Amino acid sequence: MLGLTTIYSVGQQQMTDYQQAQTIQAEIASTAQKQEMGRWKILQDTQTKCFEMQQETTLNRAKTQDKLFNKWDDYIKG
């Protein structure tokens, strides 16, 4: 028959194991959240860069068309 000390010791070990498992699970969740935030930041930066490139391209096209129109206008006025 197991003594009370042995039963208590086994119970303590199980509690310690449970607490360690909880700690590991919390660390994993924290790491996953940090990685998700990193991916979100990358996505935001990428979308911002794409938007800036589209704006730059649109502005460049408008300036180019203005220059060509002015050259054509100068040629016609001549």
Side-chain angles (χ1 to χ4, degrees):
M1 204 186 242
L2 296 174
L4 288 177
T5 306
T6 305
I7 293 172
Y8 179 76
S9 178
V10 169
Q12 284 294 99
Q13 184 61 43
Q14 287 177 341
M15 185 56 74
T16 301
D17 290 347
Y18 176 76
Q19 289 172 342
Q20 287 176 344
Q22 291 290 342
T23 302
I24 292 169
Q25 189 271 339
E27 291 172 357
I28 290 170
S30 175
T31 301
Q33 184 179 18
K34 287 177 186 175
Q35 289 175 346
E36 179 65 26
M37 293 304 292
R39 288 189 295 271
W40 182 252
K41 176 73 173 132
I42 291 169
L43 176 64
Q44 287 178 325
D45 291 346
T46 302
Q47 288 177 335
T48 299
K49 190 64 176 174
C50 287
F51 177 77
E52 289 171 352
M53 289 173 62
Q54 288 175 335
Q55 291 296 97
E56 184 179 322
T57 301
T58 301
L59 182 61
N60 189 29
R61 283 184 179 177
K63 286 180 180 179
T64 301
Q65 290 173 350
D66 267 355
K67 287 179 186 176
L68 292 174
F69 173 80
N70 287 337
K71 285 184 180 182
W72 183 250
D73 191 45
D74 289 344
Y75 175 76
I76 291 174
K77 290 179 181 178

